[in-house]
Amino acid sequence: MTVTDRLNGVLRRIPTWVVYSVYLLPVPYLLYLAQTGGLGREPIKALEHELGEIALQLLIIGLCVTPLRQYLGLNLMKFRRAFGVLAFVYVALHLFVWVVLDMSLLWGQMWADILKRPYITVGMAGFVVLLPLVATSNNASVRKLGGAAWRKLHKLTYLAVLLGGVHFLWLSKGFQLEPMLYMAVILGLLALRVIKRRPRVA
């Protein structure tokens, strides 16, 4: 039995709710830090940033599932829906902090910012793209749409993660290595979708 087989055996025994529970732990922790001064002098901005970054990480992890199975034989398929739903939850929390805590529900100013600042426009577009994906992330939608149509619809994930990467890159001022690395990983993972894998030589 290979190492990959053993890992897959362990992964099969892990319930999906464990993934949800572990990845939701940062929410109360970040709120605690925000309340106790652990997020620096601008806790709202820092909270906004942390939630958005976790969302992007989850989108990237979701994008890794297929290549990991194709190239390494590691099967994380049972967790892919959880990664997607969690990514949406963090994007929604990121948006909630911006709307309620950062902009104080000043809708006129928000709309002006969305139109004036391209990185906000791109971020909002990413959120909108995620809406049909999260709405159909259930077995009933798969049955209703049919597997082929459902898979086609969920290719919007590629657009969502690309918009998320552009949003992060664009809002970062000056030369920032971190958002550039995120973007490089995203582009690399998307490139794997169009590069046909060579069959293994026996």
Side-chain angles (χ1 to χ4, degrees), residues 81-128:
R81 181 182 294 177
F83 293 139
V85 172
L86 284 163
F88 177 80
V89 169
Y90 274 96
V91 170
L93 289 171
H94 172 69
L95 181 59
F96 177 83
V97 171
W98 181 68
V99 169
V100 177
L101 301 181
D102 195 357
M103 301 301 291
S104 303
L105 298 174
L106 299 171
W107 300 104
Q109 188 175 335
M110 275 185 273
W111 283 115
D113 270 2
I114 290 171
L115 297 174
K116 181 181 175 183
R117 302 178 194 280
Y119 71 86
I120 298 179
T121 312
V122 170
M124 290 299 294
F127 174 73
V128 171

Coordinates of all heavy atoms in Angstrom, one line a residue, residues 81-128:
R81 N -17.0 20.4 -1.9 CA -18.2 21.3 -1.6 C -18.0 22.1 -0.4 O -18.4 23.3 -0.3 CB -19.4 20.4 -1.5 CG -20.7 21.2 -1.3 CD -21.9 20.3 -1.2 NE -22.2 19.6 -2.4 CZ -23.2 18.7 -2.5 NH1 -24.0 18.4 -1.5 NH2 -23.4 18.1 -3.7
A82 N -17.5 21.5 0.7 CA -17.2 22.2 1.9 C -16.3 23.4 1.7 O -16.5 24.5 2.2 CB -16.7 21.3 3.0
F83 N -15.2 23.2 0.9 CA -14.3 24.3 0.7 C -15.0 25.4 0.0 O -14.8 26.6 0.3 CB -13.1 23.8 -0.2 CG -12.2 22.8 0.5 CD1 -11.7 21.7 -0.1 CD2 -11.8 23.0 1.9 CE1 -10.9 20.8 0.5 CE2 -11.0 22.1 2.5 CZ -10.5 21.0 1.8
G84 N -15.9 25.1 -1.0 CA -16.6 26.1 -1.8 C -17.6 26.9 -0.9 O -17.6 28.1 -0.9
V85 N -18.3 26.1 -0.1 CA -19.3 26.8 0.8 C -18.6 27.7 1.8 O -19.0 28.8 2.1 CB -20.2 25.7 1.5 CG1 -21.1 26.4 2.5 CG2 -21.1 25.0 0.4
L86 N -17.5 27.1 2.4 CA -16.8 27.9 3.4 C -16.2 29.2 2.7 O -16.1 30.3 3.4 CB -15.7 27.1 4.0 CG -16.1 26.0 5.0 CD1 -15.1 25.0 5.3 CD2 -16.5 26.7 6.3
A87 N -15.7 29.0 1.5 CA -15.2 30.2 0.8 C -16.2 31.3 0.7 O -16.0 32.5 0.9 CB -14.6 29.8 -0.6
F88 N -17.4 30.9 0.3 CA -18.5 31.8 0.2 C -18.8 32.5 1.6 O -19.1 33.7 1.6 CB -19.8 31.2 -0.4 CG -21.0 32.1 -0.4 CD1 -21.1 33.1 -1.5 CD2 -21.9 32.2 0.6 CE1 -22.1 34.0 -1.5 CE2 -23.0 33.1 0.5 CZ -23.0 34.0 -0.5
V89 N -18.9 31.7 2.6 CA -19.1 32.2 4.0 C -18.1 33.3 4.3 O -18.5 34.4 4.8 CB -19.1 31.1 5.0 CG1 -19.1 31.7 6.4 CG2 -20.3 30.1 4.8
Y90 N -16.9 33.0 4.0 CA -15.8 34.1 4.3 C -15.9 35.3 3.4 O -15.7 36.4 3.9 CB -14.4 33.4 4.3 CG -14.1 32.8 5.6 CD1 -14.2 31.4 5.8 CD2 -13.5 33.5 6.6 CE1 -13.9 30.8 7.0 CE2 -13.2 32.9 7.8 CZ -13.4 31.6 8.0 OH -13.1 31.0 9.2
V91 N -16.3 35.1 2.2 CA -16.5 36.2 1.3 C -17.6 37.1 1.8 O -17.6 38.3 1.8 CB -16.7 35.8 -0.2 CG1 -17.2 37.0 -1.0 CG2 -15.5 35.2 -0.8
A92 N -18.7 36.4 2.2 CA -19.9 37.1 2.7 C -19.5 37.9 4.0 O -20.0 39.0 4.2 CB -21.0 36.1 3.0
L93 N -18.7 37.3 4.9 CA -18.3 37.9 6.1 C -17.4 39.1 5.8 O -17.5 40.2 6.4 CB -17.6 36.9 7.1 CG -18.5 35.9 7.7 CD1 -17.6 34.8 8.4 CD2 -19.4 36.5 8.7
H94 N -16.5 38.9 4.8 CA -15.6 40.0 4.4 C -16.5 41.2 3.9 O -16.2 42.3 4.2 CB -14.8 39.4 3.2 CG -13.9 40.4 2.5 ND1 -12.8 41.0 3.1 CD2 -14.0 40.8 1.2 CE1 -12.3 41.8 2.1 NE2 -12.9 41.7 1.0
L95 N -17.5 40.9 3.1 CA -18.4 41.9 2.6 C -19.2 42.6 3.7 O -19.4 43.8 3.7 CB -19.3 41.3 1.5 CG -20.3 42.3 0.8 CD1 -19.6 43.4 0.1 CD2 -21.2 41.5 -0.1
F96 N -19.7 41.7 4.7 CA -20.5 42.2 5.8 C -19.6 43.2 6.6 O -20.2 44.3 7.0 CB -20.9 41.1 6.7 CG -21.6 41.5 7.9 CD1 -23.0 41.7 7.9 CD2 -21.0 41.6 9.1 CE1 -23.7 42.1 9.0 CE2 -21.6 42.0 10.3 CZ -23.0 42.2 10.2
V97 N -18.4 42.9 6.9 CA -17.5 43.8 7.7 C -17.4 45.1 6.9 O -17.4 46.2 7.5 CB -16.2 43.2 7.9 CG1 -15.2 44.2 8.6 CG2 -16.3 42.0 8.9
W98 N -17.2 45.1 5.6 CA -17.0 46.3 4.8 C -18.3 47.1 4.8 O -18.2 48.3 5.1 CB -16.6 45.9 3.4 CG -16.4 47.1 2.5 CD1 -15.4 48.0 2.6 CD2 -17.3 47.6 1.4 NE1 -15.6 49.0 1.6 CE2 -16.7 48.8 0.9 CE3 -18.4 47.1 0.8 CZ2 -17.3 49.5 -0.2 CZ3 -19.0 47.8 -0.2 CH2 -18.4 49.0 -0.7
V99 N -19.4 46.5 4.6 CA -20.7 47.2 4.5 C -21.1 47.8 5.9 O -21.5 49.0 6.0 CB -21.8 46.3 4.0 CG1 -23.2 46.9 4.1 CG2 -21.6 45.9 2.5
V100 N -21.0 47.0 6.9 CA -21.6 47.4 8.2 C -20.6 48.1 9.1 O -20.9 49.2 9.7 CB -22.2 46.1 9.0 CG1 -22.7 46.5 10.4 CG2 -23.2 45.5 8.2
L101 N -19.4 47.6 9.2 CA -18.4 48.2 10.2 C -17.5 49.2 9.5 O -17.2 50.2 10.1 CB -17.5 47.0 10.7 CG -18.3 45.9 11.5 CD1 -17.3 44.9 12.0 CD2 -19.1 46.5 12.6
D102 N -17.1 49.0 8.3 CA -16.2 49.9 7.6 C -17.0 51.1 7.0 O -16.7 52.3 7.2 CB -15.5 49.2 6.5 CG -14.3 50.0 6.0 OD1 -14.1 51.1 6.5 OD2 -13.5 49.5 5.1
M103 N -18.1 50.8 6.3 CA -18.9 51.9 5.6 C -20.1 52.3 6.4 O -20.8 53.3 6.0 CB -19.3 51.4 4.2 CG -18.2 50.9 3.3 SD -17.0 52.2 3.0 CE -17.9 53.3 2.0
S104 N -20.4 51.7 7.5 CA -21.5 52.1 8.4 C -22.8 52.2 7.7 O -23.6 53.2 7.9 CB -21.1 53.4 9.1 OG -20.0 53.3 9.8
L105 N -23.0 51.3 6.7 CA -24.3 51.3 5.9 C -24.6 52.5 5.2 O -25.7 52.9 4.9 CB -25.5 50.9 6.9 CG -25.4 49.6 7.6 CD1 -26.6 49.4 8.6 CD2 -25.5 48.4 6.6
L106 N -23.5 53.3 4.8 CA -23.7 54.5 4.0 C -23.8 54.0 2.5 O -22.8 54.0 1.8 CB -22.6 55.4 4.2 CG -22.4 56.0 5.6 CD1 -21.1 56.7 5.8 CD2 -23.6 56.8 6.0
W107 N -25.0 53.7 2.1 CA -25.2 53.0 0.8 C -24.7 53.9 -0.4 O -24.2 53.4 -1.3 CB -26.7 52.6 0.6 CG -27.1 51.7 1.7 CD1 -27.9 52.0 2.7 CD2 -26.8 50.3 1.8 NE1 -28.1 50.9 3.5 CE2 -27.4 49.8 2.9 CE3 -26.0 49.4 1.0 CZ2 -27.3 48.5 3.3 CZ3 -25.9 48.1 1.4 CH2 -26.5 47.7 2.6
G108 N -25.0 55.2 -0.3 CA -24.6 56.1 -1.4 C -23.1 56.1 -1.5 O -22.6 56.1 -2.7
Q109 N -22.4 56.2 -0.4 CA -20.9 56.2 -0.5 C -20.4 54.9 -1.0 O -19.4 54.8 -1.7 CB -20.3 56.5 0.9 CG -18.8 56.7 0.9 CD -18.3 57.1 2.3 OE1 -19.1 57.7 3.1 NE2 -17.0 56.9 2.5
M110 N -21.1 53.8 -0.6 CA -20.7 52.4 -1.0 C -20.8 52.3 -2.5 O -19.8 51.9 -3.2 CB -21.5 51.4 -0.3 CG -21.0 51.0 1.0 SD -21.9 49.6 1.7 CE -23.3 50.4 2.5
W111 N -21.9 52.7 -3.1 CA -22.1 52.6 -4.5 C -21.1 53.5 -5.2 O -20.5 53.1 -6.3 CB -23.5 53.1 -4.9 CG -24.5 52.0 -4.6 CD1 -25.5 52.1 -3.7 CD2 -24.6 50.7 -5.2 NE1 -26.3 50.9 -3.7 CE2 -25.7 50.0 -4.7 CE3 -23.8 50.1 -6.2 CZ2 -26.0 48.7 -5.0 CZ3 -24.2 48.8 -6.6 CH2 -25.3 48.1 -6.0
A112 N -20.8 54.7 -4.7 CA -19.8 55.6 -5.3 C -18.4 54.9 -5.3 O -17.7 54.9 -6.3 CB -19.7 56.9 -4.5
D113 N -18.1 54.2 -4.2 CA -16.8 53.5 -4.1 C -16.7 52.3 -5.1 O -15.7 52.1 -5.7 CB -16.6 53.0 -2.7 CG -15.9 54.0 -1.8 OD1 -15.6 55.1 -2.4 OD2 -15.6 53.7 -0.7
I114 N -17.8 51.6 -5.2 CA -17.9 50.5 -6.1 C -17.6 50.9 -7.5 O -16.9 50.3 -8.3 CB -19.2 49.7 -6.0 CG1 -19.3 49.0 -4.7 CG2 -19.4 48.7 -7.2 CD1 -20.7 48.5 -4.4
L115 N -18.2 52.1 -7.9 CA -18.0 52.6 -9.3 C -16.6 53.3 -9.4 O -16.0 53.2 -10.5 CB -19.1 53.6 -9.6 CG -20.5 53.0 -9.6 CD1 -21.6 54.1 -9.8 CD2 -20.7 52.0 -10.7
K116 N -16.1 53.9 -8.3 CA -14.9 54.7 -8.4 C -13.7 53.8 -8.3 O -12.6 54.1 -8.9 CB -14.9 55.7 -7.3 CG -13.7 56.7 -7.3 CD -13.9 57.7 -6.2 CE -12.6 58.5 -6.1 NZ -12.7 59.4 -4.9
R117 N -13.7 52.8 -7.4 CA -12.5 52.0 -7.1 C -12.6 50.7 -7.8 O -13.4 49.8 -7.4 CB -12.3 51.8 -5.6 CG -12.2 53.2 -4.9 CD -12.1 52.9 -3.4 NE -12.3 54.1 -2.6 CZ -11.4 55.1 -2.5 NH1 -10.2 55.0 -3.0 NH2 -11.7 56.2 -1.8
P118 N -11.8 50.4 -8.9 CA -11.9 49.2 -9.7 C -11.7 47.9 -8.8 O -12.4 46.9 -9.1 CB -10.8 49.3 -10.7 CG -10.5 50.8 -10.8 CD -10.8 51.4 -9.4
Y119 N -10.9 48.0 -7.8 CA -10.6 46.7 -7.0 C -11.9 46.3 -6.2 O -12.1 45.1 -6.0 CB -9.4 46.9 -6.1 CG -9.6 47.8 -4.9 CD1 -10.1 47.3 -3.7 CD2 -9.2 49.1 -5.0 CE1 -10.3 48.1 -2.6 CE2 -9.3 49.9 -3.9 CZ -9.9 49.4 -2.7 OH -10.0 50.3 -1.6
I120 N -12.7 47.3 -5.8 CA -14.0 47.0 -5.2 C -15.0 46.5 -6.2 O -15.7 45.5 -5.9 CB -14.5 48.3 -4.5 CG1 -13.6 48.8 -3.4 CG2 -15.9 47.9 -3.8 CD1 -14.1 50.0 -2.6
T121 N -15.0 47.0 -7.4 CA -15.9 46.5 -8.4 C -15.5 45.1 -8.7 O -16.4 44.2 -8.9 CB -15.7 47.4 -9.7 OG1 -15.7 48.8 -9.4 CG2 -16.7 47.1 -10.7
V122 N -14.2 44.8 -8.9 CA -13.8 43.4 -9.1 C -14.2 42.5 -8.0 O -14.7 41.3 -8.2 CB -12.3 43.4 -9.4 CG1 -11.8 41.9 -9.4 CG2 -12.0 44.1 -10.7
G123 N -14.0 42.9 -6.8 CA -14.4 42.1 -5.6 C -15.9 41.8 -5.6 O -16.3 40.7 -5.3
M124 N -16.7 42.9 -5.9 CA -18.1 42.7 -5.9 C -18.6 41.7 -7.0 O -19.5 40.9 -6.8 CB -18.8 44.0 -6.1 CG -18.7 45.0 -4.9 SD -19.5 44.3 -3.4 CE -21.2 44.3 -3.8
A125 N -17.9 41.8 -8.1 CA -18.2 40.9 -9.2 C -17.9 39.4 -8.8 O -18.6 38.5 -9.1 CB -17.3 41.2 -10.5
G126 N -16.8 39.3 -8.1 CA -16.5 37.9 -7.6 C -17.5 37.4 -6.6 O -17.9 36.2 -6.7
F127 N -18.1 38.3 -5.8 CA -19.1 37.9 -4.9 C -20.4 37.4 -5.7 O -21.0 36.4 -5.4 CB -19.5 39.0 -3.9 CG -20.7 38.8 -3.0 CD1 -20.6 37.9 -2.0 CD2 -21.9 39.4 -3.3 CE1 -21.7 37.6 -1.2 CE2 -23.0 39.2 -2.5 CZ -22.9 38.3 -1.4
V128 N -20.7 38.2 -6.7 CA -21.9 37.9 -7.5 C -21.8 36.6 -8.2 O -22.7 35.8 -8.3 CB -22.2 39.1 -8.5 CG1 -23.3 38.7 -9.5 CG2 -22.6 40.3 -7.8

